[in-house]
Amino acid sequence: MTNETTTTELKIDMGLIANYGNADYIDGDVVVLDGIDKVLQTDGTYRFEIIMMAYCTKGRMQYESNGETYTSKAGDVVICLPSTTWENVLVSPDYESKIVGISYKTAQTSVQMNSDFLALMGYISKNPVVHLNEEQQDIFMKYYAIIAHKIKNPNGFYHREIMHCLLQSTIYELFAIIMPYVEYTFDGGNLKQANLLFQRFIELLAANNGKMQPVKKYAQELCITPKYLSSITKQVTGRTALEWIHSYTVKAIEKYLRRSNLSIKEISELLGFPNLSFFGKFTKSHLGMSPTQYRKDQSMRK
């Protein structure tokens, strides 16, 4: 007989954090937590499906990712990208941190996807721990103080929009600190080439206005194979080309169902779906309800 050890991988996403019920603020797109222990509640392996920033204010944390060991201490920010896996997480008894998380879908709409951003993501994937000097720490604590104030005083119009803008500003502040360290030609230039191809892919997606097209169609326009296109998108962003195509189609569906008077059939045809049945199944799998139900739900919210 052979003894086999089974490692349980826990997926960290907005749904799981919401189920824990201990977030200071969560709306399905962004989350604010006071302490990493509210996210990592069990031993094992953790796979993140959100962009998470953990700012350490006290103590130390250590974890392993992709065969590398990383350590965060007071004044450090750990940036965790989607599809990142953590193992063997250790925290000191006095460890304290401020956690901000944002869904990848929200990041797509709030952060401009250009070559600088893609190079930044490539750098962060290899250098997830960022040390802040005293001035930078002071700036981040001021941001967090404003966010904490808005959490405690949620009354008023545009609360959700204000929270998103504050968190977006915090993310850009951190990115501005990192950018001077980004090297555009690391990995012998291969990552730079992948970034440029991915940027062109995103431009094609945007120009297509969410119309459902196969990966093969975009690969032909880029003069590469579908397999290579999916490989570089996975390398740069952690998501396949098909996942990116679907995400743009979902955004288009949401837009037309919310803001247009087009019929469900007209939207389906406009976005290139072969029939209403397929359109309905696709919408339900990505939005959790049928097109008719989604439109009715949004109308009631208004």
Side-chain angles (χ1 to χ4, degrees), residues 254-270:
E254 290 178 314
K255 179 184 71 173
Y256 287 125
L257 290 176
R258 284 176 179 172
R259 304 174 188 173
S260 79
N261 294 321
L262 295 173
S263 69
I264 304 300
K265 185 174 186 296
E266 287 173 328
I267 296 173
S268 173
E269 292 174 347
L270 181 64

PDB file of all heavy atoms in Angstrom, residues 254-270:
ATOM      1  N   GLU A 254     -24.530  43.143 -20.214  1.00  0.00           N
ATOM      2  CA  GLU A 254     -24.979  43.987 -19.100  1.00  0.00           C
ATOM      3  C   GLU A 254     -25.355  45.378 -19.591  1.00  0.00           C
ATOM      4  O   GLU A 254     -26.374  45.946 -19.178  1.00  0.00           O
ATOM      5  CB  GLU A 254     -23.869  44.075 -18.037  1.00  0.00           C
ATOM      6  CG  GLU A 254     -23.631  42.788 -17.276  1.00  0.00           C
ATOM      7  CD  GLU A 254     -22.500  42.919 -16.281  1.00  0.00           C
ATOM      8  OE1 GLU A 254     -21.447  43.476 -16.667  1.00  0.00           O
ATOM      9  OE2 GLU A 254     -22.649  42.481 -15.136  1.00  0.00           O
ATOM     10  N   LYS A 255     -24.535  45.935 -20.465  1.00  0.00           N
ATOM     11  CA  LYS A 255     -24.788  47.283 -20.975  1.00  0.00           C
ATOM     12  C   LYS A 255     -26.109  47.348 -21.741  1.00  0.00           C
ATOM     13  O   LYS A 255     -26.939  48.234 -21.495  1.00  0.00           O
ATOM     14  CB  LYS A 255     -23.636  47.717 -21.890  1.00  0.00           C
ATOM     15  CG  LYS A 255     -23.821  49.117 -22.485  1.00  0.00           C
ATOM     16  CD  LYS A 255     -22.700  49.455 -23.447  1.00  0.00           C
ATOM     17  CE  LYS A 255     -22.809  48.641 -24.723  1.00  0.00           C
ATOM     18  NZ  LYS A 255     -21.822  49.048 -25.760  1.00  0.00           N
ATOM     19  N   TYR A 256     -26.332  46.403 -22.652  1.00  0.00           N
ATOM     20  CA  TYR A 256     -27.542  46.428 -23.475  1.00  0.00           C
ATOM     21  C   TYR A 256     -28.798  46.137 -22.646  1.00  0.00           C
ATOM     22  O   TYR A 256     -29.853  46.740 -22.875  1.00  0.00           O
ATOM     23  CB  TYR A 256     -27.426  45.431 -24.619  1.00  0.00           C
ATOM     24  CG  TYR A 256     -26.472  45.867 -25.706  1.00  0.00           C
ATOM     25  CD1 TYR A 256     -25.419  45.051 -26.106  1.00  0.00           C
ATOM     26  CD2 TYR A 256     -26.615  47.105 -26.335  1.00  0.00           C
ATOM     27  CE1 TYR A 256     -24.534  45.448 -27.099  1.00  0.00           C
ATOM     28  CE2 TYR A 256     -25.737  47.514 -27.327  1.00  0.00           C
ATOM     29  CZ  TYR A 256     -24.693  46.673 -27.708  1.00  0.00           C
ATOM     30  OH  TYR A 256     -23.823  47.084 -28.688  1.00  0.00           O
ATOM     31  N   LEU A 257     -28.683  45.238 -21.684  1.00  0.00           N
ATOM     32  CA  LEU A 257     -29.848  44.912 -20.860  1.00  0.00           C
ATOM     33  C   LEU A 257     -30.196  46.065 -19.916  1.00  0.00           C
ATOM     34  O   LEU A 257     -31.363  46.277 -19.586  1.00  0.00           O
ATOM     35  CB  LEU A 257     -29.600  43.634 -20.058  1.00  0.00           C
ATOM     36  CG  LEU A 257     -29.548  42.323 -20.856  1.00  0.00           C
ATOM     37  CD1 LEU A 257     -29.196  41.156 -19.937  1.00  0.00           C
ATOM     38  CD2 LEU A 257     -30.889  42.059 -21.547  1.00  0.00           C
ATOM     39  N   ARG A 258     -29.197  46.808 -19.486  1.00  0.00           N
ATOM     40  CA  ARG A 258     -29.431  47.914 -18.560  1.00  0.00           C
ATOM     41  C   ARG A 258     -29.888  49.187 -19.270  1.00  0.00           C
ATOM     42  O   ARG A 258     -30.799  49.873 -18.816  1.00  0.00           O
ATOM     43  CB  ARG A 258     -28.134  48.239 -17.790  1.00  0.00           C
ATOM     44  CG  ARG A 258     -27.765  47.277 -16.686  1.00  0.00           C
ATOM     45  CD  ARG A 258     -26.425  47.709 -16.106  1.00  0.00           C
ATOM     46  NE  ARG A 258     -25.986  46.856 -15.007  1.00  0.00           N
ATOM     47  CZ  ARG A 258     -24.791  46.940 -14.438  1.00  0.00           C
ATOM     48  NH1 ARG A 258     -23.922  47.844 -14.870  1.00  0.00           N
ATOM     49  NH2 ARG A 258     -24.455  46.146 -13.454  1.00  0.00           N
ATOM     50  N   ARG A 259     -29.234  49.507 -20.402  1.00  0.00           N
ATOM     51  CA  ARG A 259     -29.364  50.851 -20.948  1.00  0.00           C
ATOM     52  C   ARG A 259     -30.079  50.948 -22.289  1.00  0.00           C
ATOM     53  O   ARG A 259     -30.289  52.058 -22.785  1.00  0.00           O
ATOM     54  CB  ARG A 259     -27.965  51.461 -21.100  1.00  0.00           C
ATOM     55  CG  ARG A 259     -27.162  51.472 -19.808  1.00  0.00           C
ATOM     56  CD  ARG A 259     -25.748  51.949 -20.060  1.00  0.00           C
ATOM     57  NE  ARG A 259     -24.910  51.803 -18.883  1.00  0.00           N
ATOM     58  CZ  ARG A 259     -23.597  52.032 -18.877  1.00  0.00           C
ATOM     59  NH1 ARG A 259     -23.004  52.442 -19.985  1.00  0.00           N
ATOM     60  NH2 ARG A 259     -22.901  51.871 -17.771  1.00  0.00           N
ATOM     61  N   SER A 260     -30.428  49.831 -22.909  1.00  0.00           N
ATOM     62  CA  SER A 260     -31.062  49.907 -24.222  1.00  0.00           C
ATOM     63  C   SER A 260     -32.497  49.384 -24.170  1.00  0.00           C
ATOM     64  O   SER A 260     -32.892  48.704 -23.224  1.00  0.00           O
ATOM     65  CB  SER A 260     -30.257  49.109 -25.250  1.00  0.00           C
ATOM     66  OG  SER A 260     -30.524  47.722 -25.130  1.00  0.00           O
ATOM     67  N   ASN A 261     -33.238  49.705 -25.196  1.00  0.00           N
ATOM     68  CA  ASN A 261     -34.599  49.193 -25.346  1.00  0.00           C
ATOM     69  C   ASN A 261     -34.652  48.032 -26.337  1.00  0.00           C
ATOM     70  O   ASN A 261     -35.735  47.619 -26.758  1.00  0.00           O
ATOM     71  CB  ASN A 261     -35.529  50.318 -25.818  1.00  0.00           C
ATOM     72  CG  ASN A 261     -35.682  51.397 -24.757  1.00  0.00           C
ATOM     73  OD1 ASN A 261     -35.773  51.089 -23.567  1.00  0.00           O
ATOM     74  ND2 ASN A 261     -35.693  52.649 -25.180  1.00  0.00           N
ATOM     75  N   LEU A 262     -33.491  47.514 -26.706  1.00  0.00           N
ATOM     76  CA  LEU A 262     -33.436  46.380 -27.620  1.00  0.00           C
ATOM     77  C   LEU A 262     -34.077  45.148 -26.980  1.00  0.00           C
ATOM     78  O   LEU A 262     -33.947  44.937 -25.765  1.00  0.00           O
ATOM     79  CB  LEU A 262     -31.989  46.062 -27.994  1.00  0.00           C
ATOM     80  CG  LEU A 262     -31.215  47.110 -28.799  1.00  0.00           C
ATOM     81  CD1 LEU A 262     -29.751  46.706 -28.928  1.00  0.00           C
ATOM     82  CD2 LEU A 262     -31.838  47.287 -30.178  1.00  0.00           C
ATOM     83  N   SER A 263     -34.745  44.347 -27.776  1.00  0.00           N
ATOM     84  CA  SER A 263     -35.327  43.103 -27.259  1.00  0.00           C
ATOM     85  C   SER A 263     -34.222  42.097 -26.975  1.00  0.00           C
ATOM     86  O   SER A 263     -33.087  42.251 -27.449  1.00  0.00           O
ATOM     87  CB  SER A 263     -36.307  42.514 -28.274  1.00  0.00           C
ATOM     88  OG  SER A 263     -35.605  42.051 -29.419  1.00  0.00           O
ATOM     89  N   ILE A 264     -34.540  41.071 -26.217  1.00  0.00           N
ATOM     90  CA  ILE A 264     -33.569  40.026 -25.906  1.00  0.00           C
ATOM     91  C   ILE A 264     -33.064  39.392 -27.202  1.00  0.00           C
ATOM     92  O   ILE A 264     -31.864  39.134 -27.360  1.00  0.00           O
ATOM     93  CB  ILE A 264     -34.189  38.945 -25.005  1.00  0.00           C
ATOM     94  CG1 ILE A 264     -34.756  39.574 -23.719  1.00  0.00           C
ATOM     95  CG2 ILE A 264     -33.158  37.877 -24.659  1.00  0.00           C
ATOM     96  CD1 ILE A 264     -33.744  40.289 -22.870  1.00  0.00           C
ATOM     97  N   LYS A 265     -33.967  39.157 -28.135  1.00  0.00           N
ATOM     98  CA  LYS A 265     -33.595  38.550 -29.416  1.00  0.00           C
ATOM     99  C   LYS A 265     -32.649  39.469 -30.202  1.00  0.00           C
ATOM    100  O   LYS A 265     -31.658  39.005 -30.796  1.00  0.00           O
ATOM    101  CB  LYS A 265     -34.845  38.270 -30.249  1.00  0.00           C
ATOM    102  CG  LYS A 265     -34.604  37.535 -31.561  1.00  0.00           C
ATOM    103  CD  LYS A 265     -35.935  37.175 -32.223  1.00  0.00           C
ATOM    104  CE  LYS A 265     -35.718  36.319 -33.464  1.00  0.00           C
ATOM    105  NZ  LYS A 265     -34.993  37.023 -34.523  1.00  0.00           N
ATOM    106  N   GLU A 266     -32.921  40.763 -30.184  1.00  0.00           N
ATOM    107  CA  GLU A 266     -32.077  41.714 -30.907  1.00  0.00           C
ATOM    108  C   GLU A 266     -30.672  41.777 -30.304  1.00  0.00           C
ATOM    109  O   GLU A 266     -29.672  41.856 -31.029  1.00  0.00           O
ATOM    110  CB  GLU A 266     -32.722  43.098 -30.889  1.00  0.00           C
ATOM    111  CG  GLU A 266     -33.951  43.218 -31.791  1.00  0.00           C
ATOM    112  CD  GLU A 266     -34.679  44.540 -31.621  1.00  0.00           C
ATOM    113  OE1 GLU A 266     -34.657  45.088 -30.484  1.00  0.00           O
ATOM    114  OE2 GLU A 266     -35.274  45.018 -32.600  1.00  0.00           O
ATOM    115  N   ILE A 267     -30.586  41.734 -28.979  1.00  0.00           N
ATOM    116  CA  ILE A 267     -29.283  41.739 -28.309  1.00  0.00           C
ATOM    117  C   ILE A 267     -28.508  40.476 -28.657  1.00  0.00           C
ATOM    118  O   ILE A 267     -27.310  40.514 -28.947  1.00  0.00           O
ATOM    119  CB  ILE A 267     -29.449  41.868 -26.780  1.00  0.00           C
ATOM    120  CG1 ILE A 267     -30.088  43.211 -26.423  1.00  0.00           C
ATOM    121  CG2 ILE A 267     -28.099  41.728 -26.078  1.00  0.00           C
ATOM    122  CD1 ILE A 267     -30.449  43.354 -24.962  1.00  0.00           C
ATOM    123  N   SER A 268     -29.210  39.357 -28.632  1.00  0.00           N
ATOM    124  CA  SER A 268     -28.580  38.078 -28.962  1.00  0.00           C
ATOM    125  C   SER A 268     -27.987  38.103 -30.367  1.00  0.00           C
ATOM    126  O   SER A 268     -26.843  37.684 -30.584  1.00  0.00           O
ATOM    127  CB  SER A 268     -29.611  36.948 -28.847  1.00  0.00           C
ATOM    128  OG  SER A 268     -29.084  35.724 -29.309  1.00  0.00           O
ATOM    129  N   GLU A 269     -28.732  38.603 -31.314  1.00  0.00           N
ATOM    130  CA  GLU A 269     -28.267  38.662 -32.706  1.00  0.00           C
ATOM    131  C   GLU A 269     -27.130  39.672 -32.861  1.00  0.00           C
ATOM    132  O   GLU A 269     -26.159  39.429 -33.585  1.00  0.00           O
ATOM    133  CB  GLU A 269     -29.429  39.027 -33.622  1.00  0.00           C
ATOM    134  CG  GLU A 269     -30.503  37.935 -33.713  1.00  0.00           C
ATOM    135  CD  GLU A 269     -31.708  38.379 -34.520  1.00  0.00           C
ATOM    136  OE1 GLU A 269     -31.821  39.598 -34.802  1.00  0.00           O
ATOM    137  OE2 GLU A 269     -32.549  37.520 -34.850  1.00  0.00           O
ATOM    138  N   LEU A 270     -27.240  40.817 -32.174  1.00  0.00           N
ATOM    139  CA  LEU A 270     -26.222  41.862 -32.254  1.00  0.00           C
ATOM    140  C   LEU A 270     -24.870  41.351 -31.767  1.00  0.00           C
ATOM    141  O   LEU A 270     -23.818  41.712 -32.315  1.00  0.00           O
ATOM    142  CB  LEU A 270     -26.664  43.071 -31.425  1.00  0.00           C
ATOM    143  CG  LEU A 270     -25.730  44.296 -31.415  1.00  0.00           C
ATOM    144  CD1 LEU A 270     -25.636  44.895 -32.816  1.00  0.00           C
ATOM    145  CD2 LEU A 270     -26.227  45.332 -30.431  1.00  0.00           C
TER     146      LEU A 270
END
